[in-house]
Amino acid sequence: MAATIEEEDKVMATAKKIVESLNTSKEDMILIFSRFDNRLSNITSLISGGDCKKRADEDDDDPLVAAEKVILRWESDRSESSRLWEESPDEAAEYLAAVDELLKLTEDSSDEDEDRDRAEIAIQLAMSRLEDEFRHILIRNTVPLDADRLYGSIRRVSLSFASHDGEIEDFESFGEEIEGYCHERGASLGDDLCVDLVHPDAVVELKEIADRMIRAKYEKECCQVYSSVRRDVIDECLSILGVEKLSIEEVQRIEWRSLDEKMKKWVQSVKVGVRVLLAGEKRLCEHMFEDSELIQEVCFMETAKGCVMQLLNFGEAVAIGRRSSEKLFRILDMYDVLVNVLPDLELLFGGESGKVLCSEARGVMDGLGLAAIGTFVEFENAVQGEASRKPIQGGEIHPLTRYVMNYVKLLVDYSDSLNALLENSVDDSGDSQRDDGDLPAECTSPFARRLLSLIKSLESNLEEKSRMYEDGAMQYVFLMNNILYIVQKVKDSELGKLLGDHWVRKRRGQIRQYATSYLRASWTKVLSCLKDEGIGGSTSNASKVALKERFKNFNTCFEEIYRIQTAWKVPDPQLREELRISISEKVIPAYRSFMGRFGNHLDSGRHPGKYIKYTPEDLENYLSDLFEGTPGVLNHMRRKST
């Protein structure tokens, strides 16, 4: 207690000497000192009007007195409009020179020196002003973030997330077709992309102030001001980039379309945040505090950790959220961007204090990787177990086929990531190994195996769905349509390189087998009407009754097939034409031959057109109507004239 009283007496005595030595009004001095230190609040009682005497002329040349005058002159006006660096660069230089003089006096004097005490009080006054000036310059000279320019750089460098017309909907309902979904990806920004975070001229002024504050052992105050201002700026930048402060619970309540947009913005913001903003902050810190690596580390850590944690919290919320197939691409994008920027983070946060932050980033990255694999596995299970029982009209391509093939076509872009994740996943084992014989020798990666297993599950599911059609011929049309669609998606994308030509040839062979089975199921009965057996003898003495029955049966069968199969749909024009040609090659020659042998037996009878309704050319024309998806009715058959 006694020491405290003695210290206060010493401060009061020093302040009184400053008042006595300077040509400053008593009122100004009372205001300055009472505002500066509560120990000087009762200085009024120590200073009477007659005590403020000027020193002799020789004191005017005293460096301490001259420095004190500069400091106290600016302390007499602490209004917001009074800014050293704004009013006059020369006066700012004079002020810094005065601070330098005071610092020199404290460094060169002993602890018992009265001048040292006076200099320290003046330094404290100066530090208070420099702290305000530092904050003001830092805020006033912050460069606003030009998000459009940054996003323009992302698009030019990497075509990241080009706009798309379609969306992936929830798997359970198949949603809209995703063939129009465009999900272009960008790996990184340009290496030379950087921005000025603070106007370069102001950085020089800020450094001059920071150097004095650190030299005066006010580095804590300097760091606090710097980190506080820059932290707010980075928070604002994240807001401009579209990153919101959301809790894990809030993220998990967001509906998918909104969440998809936030995930996309998050990926962009991580790239910009780490490669541009935080890298720029690191450079700014290093320049501002170039003489102390410790201060650089502390200032940068305090400035940047909130930004990083905000980004990581969103990533964690996504990683532990509900899994659904439509999220997989964005989750992989988020995983990939963390893989790409983690080395940058480790360089930026290289000190001891940054290790925990980098560990957090690795944890979120691993969590997203696990979420991606878990989502992929659940997608495989959903494909295998999808049990919709409504047949697709006309035997067309099933929505499940469209969804799955367009889905995996997009997944190929993530082959490297999925291979790395599946390599370390316990799920990449077991049954998928048995399918390796279908893969080319050079394509037995974990992702290729899983992809093959997934498509086989789809094919098995389609086999089951084909049995929902009562018409056996339609079952084969359905299978041809769907297997051909799968083959085309494989051939027209990078899937072809993964699965290989052997896989494609094998499926094309299946399609040919289905075509043969279709012809047998659909046209055997028609062709049986054109056989010689059972018509009562040779060509010359065939039974007219039997022939009439044969032609009637043929007409009935053909018209029924025409009515039904014009409503069936074969979307692929080449397959459609090949099927028509195959039918023609089976039916038209047989019909022409049968007519040539037996047609004249009915020509001499009554109403031959009742039995021989069509010429071979008529049949050829009608066959061209099959598989168009529009039911045809032969109400006005062209009858053969007598």
Side-chain angles (χ1 to χ4, degrees), residues 95-301:
Y95 194 90
L96 291 178
V99 172
D100 289 340
E101 185 62 40
L102 293 169
L103 289 171
K104 184 175 182 299
L105 285 168
T106 60
E107 291 163 357
D108 294 344
S109 305
S110 65
D111 291 342
E112 303 301 322
D113 194 321
E114 286 186 7
D115 286 350
R116 178 188 178 91
D117 294 337
R118 289 176 57 181
E120 286 180 345
I121 288 179
I123 285 171
Q124 290 179 59
L125 289 170
M127 291 303 112
S128 178
R129 169 165 284 280
L130 288 181
E131 184 178 328
D132 287 345
E133 296 279 352
F134 189 80
R135 180 184 292 105
H136 180 76
I137 295 170
L138 197 54
I139 293 172
R140 189 177 180 85
N141 289 278
T142 293
V143 178
L145 180 69
D146 186 350
D148 289 339
R149 185 173 82 84
L150 286 175
Y151 284 160
S153 297
I154 295 173
R155 285 192 291 269
R156 284 194 301 274
V157 174
S158 59
L159 296 175
S160 177
F161 297 109
S163 63
H164 48 78
D165 300 321
E167 290 288 347
I168 294 178
E169 298 290 344
D170 197 5
F171 174 83
E172 286 75 10
S173 62
F174 304 116
E176 302 171 14
E177 295 179 16
I178 60 172
E179 290 175 276
Y181 185 91
C182 179
H183 191 88
E184 296 185 44
R185 306 170 60 225
S188 64
L189 296 163
D191 293 336
D192 58 345
L193 181 61
C194 61
V195 296
D196 288 326
L197 305 176
V198 176
H199 289 295
D201 291 343
V203 174
V204 176
E205 297 170 354
L206 290 165
K207 188 178 184 316
E208 288 179 335
I209 296 173
D211 288 345
R212 271 73 177 187
M213 293 185 74
I214 293 169
R215 188 176 164 195
K217 296 182 172 52
Y218 277 74
E219 63 271 14
K220 180 179 178 182
E221 290 79 1
C222 185
C223 286
Q224 286 176 340
V225 172
Y226 178 88
S227 301
S228 174
V229 172
R230 294 308 304 168
R231 187 164 53 240
D232 289 345
V233 171
I234 291 181
D235 286 347
E236 179 64 23
C237 289
L238 287 183
S239 179
I240 291 171
L241 293 172
V243 178
E244 304 172 45
K245 287 187 176 180
L246 298 168
S247 67
I248 289 177
E249 293 76 16
E250 288 172 327
V251 172
Q252 294 178 346
R253 287 198 298 267
I254 299 172
E255 58 92 19
W256 162 240
R257 285 187 181 274
S258 178
L259 180 61
D260 178 55
E261 188 63 25
K262 293 182 189 303
M263 293 166 78
K264 181 174 78 171
K265 287 181 178 178
W266 185 90
V267 172
Q268 295 170 328
S269 298
V270 169
K271 293 176 186 177
V272 172
V274 175
R275 297 268 170 83
V276 180
L277 295 179
L278 295 188
E281 284 294 337
K282 183 76 168 181
R283 288 192 301 272
L284 186 60
C285 271
E286 289 172 346
H287 184 61
M288 193 85 70
F289 309 110
E290 63 183 356
D291 295 329
S292 172
E293 289 187 6
L294 177 60
I295 294 176
Q296 291 173 21
E297 182 181 335
V298 170
C299 279
F300 179 68
M301 186 68 184

Side-chain angles (χ1 to χ4, degrees), residues 262-520:
K262 293 182 189 303
M263 293 166 78
K264 181 174 78 171
K265 287 181 178 178
W266 185 90
V267 172
Q268 295 170 328
S269 298
V270 169
K271 293 176 186 177
V272 172
V274 175
R275 297 268 170 83
V276 180
L277 295 179
L278 295 188
E281 284 294 337
K282 183 76 168 181
R283 288 192 301 272
L284 186 60
C285 271
E286 289 172 346
H287 184 61
M288 193 85 70
F289 309 110
E290 63 183 356
D291 295 329
S292 172
E293 289 187 6
L294 177 60
I295 294 176
Q296 291 173 21
E297 182 181 335
V298 170
C299 279
F300 179 68
M301 186 68 184
E302 289 302 310
T303 299
K305 67 180 180 182
C307 160
V308 176
M309 289 308 302
Q310 183 180 342
L311 291 169
L312 292 180
N313 286 342
F314 181 86
E316 181 183 7
V318 170
I320 64 176
R322 184 181 73 87
R323 292 174 182 173
S324 56
S325 59
E326 75 274 10
K327 292 181 182 178
L328 180 55
F329 302 102
R330 292 293 181 216
I331 291 174
L332 285 168
D333 286 333
M334 293 173 71
Y335 170 80
D336 282 350
V337 80
L338 283 182
V339 169
N340 289 331
V341 303
L342 189 59
D344 298 84
L345 285 174
E346 289 172 340
L347 284 174
L348 291 170
F349 297 94
E352 282 297 318
S353 58
K355 288 183 178 178
V356 174
L357 204 61
C358 292
S359 177
E360 289 276 351
R362 278 191 294 273
V364 172
M365 180 187 73
D366 292 341
L368 288 167
L370 289 173
I373 292 304
T375 303
F376 186 36
V377 170
E378 288 187 13
F379 178 72
E380 290 177 306
N381 295 335
V383 171
Q384 191 169 11
E386 198 284 319
S388 59
R389 303 300 299 169
K390 183 179 179 181
I392 301 303
Q393 187 174 0
E396 267 210 83
I397 300 161
H398 198 282
L400 176 66
T401 309
R402 293 184 186 276
Y403 189 97
V404 172
M405 292 313 299
N406 285 287
Y407 194 92
V408 298
K409 184 178 175 182
L410 292 176
L411 272 183
V412 175
D413 283 347
Y414 300 88
S415 294
D416 292 342
S417 299
L418 287 168
N419 274 324
L421 290 168
L422 287 167
E423 196 74 60
N424 300 317
S425 171
V426 294
D427 291 313
D428 186 44
S429 58
D431 291 345
S432 63
Q433 297 289 340
R434 73 176 187 272
D435 299 323
D436 284 358
D438 280 348
L439 288 171
E442 68 276 12
C443 294
T444 55
S445 64
F447 177 57
R449 291 197 299 270
R450 297 303 288 261
L451 193 60
L452 184 65
S453 178
L454 173 63
I455 294 176
K456 286 180 76 70
S457 295
L458 172 62
E459 291 171 328
S460 296
N461 198 319
L462 292 172
E463 286 275 0
E464 288 293 322
K465 292 184 187 306
S466 72
R467 298 187 182 100
M468 294 187 294
Y469 296 100
E470 294 181 3
D471 190 322
M474 195 176 193
Q475 293 180 12
Y476 297 116
V477 170
F478 172 79
L479 288 170
M480 278 189 285
N481 281 333
N482 283 269
I483 299 304
L484 179 60
Y485 184 86
I486 293 171
V487 169
Q488 288 172 333
K489 285 295 177 182
V490 170
K491 278 184 63 64
D492 295 341
S493 70
E494 292 296 310
L495 288 168
K497 294 180 182 177
L498 281 175
L499 299 181
D501 291 338
H502 172 70
W503 186 94
V504 171
R505 286 194 300 271
K506 188 173 179 181
R507 268 62 189 177
R508 288 203 180 279
Q510 276 186 307
I511 294 170
R512 287 192 295 272
Q513 290 174 4
Y514 291 141
T516 300
S517 298
Y518 156 78
L519 289 171
R520 187 180 301 117

Side-chain angles (χ1 to χ4, degrees), residues 614-634:
Y614 312 109
T615 66
E617 290 72 25
D618 291 332
L619 296 181
E620 192 83 47
N621 290 332
Y622 289 131
L623 288 176
S624 66
D625 295 335
L626 298 181
F627 313 123
E628 291 288 350
T630 304
V633 180
L634 298 176

